[in-house]
Amino acid sequence: MTYQPHGNHFVAGQLVNGDETFESEPASGAPSKYSVGRVSDVNQAVEAAEDAFNSYGYSSRQTRADFLNSIADEIEARADDITEIGVQETGLPEARLNGERGRTTGQLRLFAKHIMSDDYLDKRHQEALPDRAPAPGPEHKLIQRPIGPVAVFGASNFPLAFSTAGGDTASALAAGCPVIVKGHSAHPGTSEIVAAAISAAVEKQGIAPGVFSLIQGGSRKVGTSLVQHPLIKAVGFTGSLGGGRALFDLCAARDEPIPFFGELGSVNPMFLLPAAIANRASEMGTGWAGSLTMGAGQFCTNPGIAVGMKGTLEAFTSAAQEAMDAQGAQTMLTAGIASAYQKGVDEFGQCSGVKTLVSGGANDRDASPMLCRTDASVWLNQPQLSEEVFGPLGLIVEVENEEQMHAVAKKLNGQLTCTLHMDNEDTELARSLMPILERKAGRILVNGFPTGVEVSDAMVHGGPYPASTNFGATSVGTLSIRRFLRPVCYQNVPDELVLDW
């Protein structure tokens, strides 16, 4: 391996050793040792972030844009090392890591461009009304201001785009908020290289060093102390429902509760409407299998459930089954994720009324897909069938009629996405489903598959709980910057005292 990890934390521009170490668990190659995070590391990083906020939070948009672009440049300068260690740690293919690195730098550059237009500041102005009776009206200016230091938790399934310099970090830095990242132990070396890129950009741009810190994992105390630190003003998280809910509860229980922007879990159901499936069932079945097994099913937008009318699903099912039978085993991100996938496979196999069409499971870190089928009456009465299994597991749910399709839609928990596969003849049924699905998901698709979340001004990656903990927010796209801003009203304050006015 070209890059040799040093295993230290990055705390406000300094490399910091820990008292204890943990070993990485790479998919290939030898493990490396990394410092276990300590509460003292958290305290040092957060206090430095608060100091940095006094300058960075009031810096110009140009300064922040230059910084974001510099981070992107530094990441690209380390491209080969990032890909090499990322492949070794995660087992993801080289092309996937290269694409994700491009997505990461693209997000940084997008936010740099975004903040140079002041639209995100949502400026509002109420002019003074000196002649108003019975009392004059004051002048009001409203503008969005950064909230302060932000904690970000790296995601297991996206070592770049949702981790150290991913969307949460990029949007927080764009807003003017220093960031403390809690690295994910699934890819500590990848996190370390990206942290080095950010630190190099900090130095080159003359930014206060406390604007960024990376503290590796290895201990739950790191995450707990980070979200409970009184100087942390918000948390960005992508991960499991159990872990996210525990952190969410800690944020809510603080003396000063803070927002927890968690993206937690989703089964991303697809509704296969009659005309569409009559016209292109095989194409849809093959496409679903491809989306379902992409990346060993380790996407938060993995479409785990397909709902269609009884008597219309045979060709769709056959095509999906054939494609999944042909899919070989794929390496999962960690042994723990593989074990959880096997547990989900076992639980599905034990559900009454569920037929297994393709037997799957996990062997060490290698996962093979599983395909099951059931009817709506079974699905509606076994809540575990609507819960996410993180991996390539698909369930076909057969409904008797449109009324039962509506019942399935209404029974869904909050989702990141819902998809309608439809042709023109399905418009009336689709129209009747829309009011239900709009209340269930942050993104609704027609005739597509939800894996692959485009980074754009109009993207929403979030949804009602348990898809996320804040249904009014997104973790992808330029709107995500609003999570780390708050509105401030200035009454009769001269323009010279209002930054960016």
Side-chain angles (χ1 to χ4, degrees):
M1 184 170 65
T2 305
Y3 180 79
Q4 296 298 323
H6 51 66
N8 297 319
H9 310 299
F10 288 79
V11 178
Q14 302 296 318
L15 296 181
V16 176
N17 282 312
D19 300 323
E20 302 177 61
T21 61
F22 69 94
E23 280 196 341
S24 62
E25 298 179 4
S28 61
S32 298
K33 291 185 177 181
Y34 296 87
S35 292
V36 174
R38 302 166 297 189
V39 174
S40 59
D41 300 322
V42 171
N43 291 338
Q44 182 182 348
V46 177
E47 289 166 7
E50 177 68 15
D51 287 341
F53 184 63
N54 292 327
S55 58
Y56 187 72
Y58 298 88
S59 62
S60 70
R61 286 179 281 143
Q62 186 67 61
T63 294
R64 301 199 302 277
D66 290 344
F67 178 42
L68 293 169
N69 283 320
S70 182
I71 295 172
D73 291 342
E74 294 294 335
I75 289 173
E76 291 297 349
R78 295 161 174 78
D80 291 343
D81 286 339
I82 290 171
T83 298
E84 181 182 10
I85 197 168
V87 168
Q88 292 183 350
E89 288 187 319
T90 66
L92 294 171
E94 182 177 333
R96 157 70 191 275
L97 267 297
N98 288 338
E100 192 180 331
R101 187 186 69 251
R103 177 192 176 101
T104 304
T105 56
Q107 288 177 149
L108 289 160
R109 298 192 194 282
L110 177 64
F111 277 109
K113 180 181 178 181
H114 181 64
I115 61 175
M116 290 311 296
S117 168
D118 65 2
D119 291 349
Y120 81 100
L121 295 171
D122 192 22
K123 295 180 182 179
R124 303 177 183 217
H125 186 207
Q126 171 64 56
E127 293 184 356
L129 301 171
D131 300 325
R132 191 183 67 179
E139 179 195 37
H140 291 148
K141 303 184 185 79
L142 180 150
I143 194 169
Q144 301 287 336
R145 298 296 304 136
I147 58 174
V150 169
V152 170
F153 285 70
S156 64
N157 58 334
F158 281 90
L160 298 171
F162 282 85
S163 290
T164 309
D168 288 344
T169 298
S171 55
L173 292 175
C177 298
V179 173
I180 300 93
V181 174
K182 189 266 186 185
H184 200 288
S185 56
H187 43 75
T190 310
S191 299
E192 180 182 298
I193 298 178
V194 176
I198 299 174
S199 294
V202 168
E203 185 173 353
K204 284 186 177 181
Q205 297 298 316
I207 304 294
V211 77
F212 171 79
S213 292
L214 166 73
I215 301 173
Q216 298 284 11
S219 170
R220 291 189 176 182
K221 292 179 180 178
V222 175
T224 300
S225 61
L226 190 53
V227 302
Q228 289 184 317
H229 197 289
L231 295 176
I232 291 293
K233 298 303 179 184
V235 178
F237 174 89
T238 298
S240 69
L241 175 59
R245 183 54 197 252
L247 294 171
F248 173 84
D249 290 345
L250 288 174
C251 289
R254 289 174 30 143
D255 290 340
E256 178 200 355
I258 57 172
F260 178 83
F261 297 105
E263 190 266 281
L264 307 182
S266 182
V267 294
N268 305 294
M270 306 190 315
F271 292 83
L272 317 174
L273 304 194
I277 203 165
N279 293 332
R280 44 197 169 86
S282 295
E283 176 188 341
M284 289 161 55
T286 302
W288 180 48
S291 179
L292 187 70
T293 60
M294 181 187 298
Q298 298 169 115
F299 288 90
C300 46
T301 51
N302 192 34
I305 294 178
V307 183
M309 298 288 186
K310 191 173 184 178
T312 70
L313 293 169
E314 293 311 309
F316 172 85
T317 301
S318 295
Q321 185 173 349
E322 181 180 353
M324 292 175 73
D325 271 328
Q327 174 68 60
Q330 300 177 76
T331 302
M332 301 199 86
L333 292 157
T334 68
I337 290 174
S339 177
Y341 172 60
Q342 182 61 55
K343 181 180 178 182
V345 165
D346 292 340
E347 290 176 351
F348 259 68
Q350 295 167 5
C351 291
S352 60
V354 176
K355 181 179 180 180
T356 299
L357 304 178
V358 177
S359 297
N363 179 17
D364 293 327
R365 279 175 70 164
D366 293 334
S368 55
M370 182 177 188
L371 179 63
C372 301
R373 184 176 66 199
T374 191
D375 60 58
S377 60
V378 172
W379 186 87
L380 289 166
N381 288 288
Q382 297 193 62
Q384 65 269 35
L385 295 177
S386 64
E387 296 175 0
E388 180 186 32
V389 175
F390 195 62
L393 188 153
L395 176 65
I396 297 170
V397 178
E398 300 177 337
V399 299
E400 295 285 349
N401 48 41
E402 293 183 7
E403 181 180 0
Q404 200 170 47
M405 184 173 281
H406 283 90
V408 168
K410 290 177 180 178
K411 190 74 171 180
L412 290 167
N413 295 321
Q415 304 291 327
L416 294 171
T417 74
C418 288
T419 300
L420 292 168
H421 286 274
M422 59 174 288
D423 284 352
N424 289 337
E425 300 90 330
D426 297 313
T427 299
E428 287 304 313
L429 176 54
R431 183 180 289 119
S432 70
L433 286 165
M434 283 296 286
I436 304 171
L437 301 185
E438 286 176 354
R439 297 184 66 186
K440 298 293 182 179
R443 177 165 58 114
I444 298 172
L445 297 81
V446 168
N447 295 337
F449 298 98
T451 41
V453 183
E454 190 74 19
V455 180
S456 74
D457 291 330
M459 175 53 66
V460 173
H461 189 61
Y465 185 84
S468 63
T469 55
N470 190 310
F471 60 80
T474 175
S475 61
V476 177
T478 54
L479 185 64
S480 64
I481 196 174
R482 295 295 294 271
R483 297 173 298 169
F484 307 121
L485 297 165
R486 65 181 182 88
V488 177
C489 175
Y490 300 87
Q491 183 167 320
N492 293 334
V493 177
D495 291 351
E496 295 78 14
L497 298 183
V498 183
L499 186 65
D500 277 324
W501 192 261

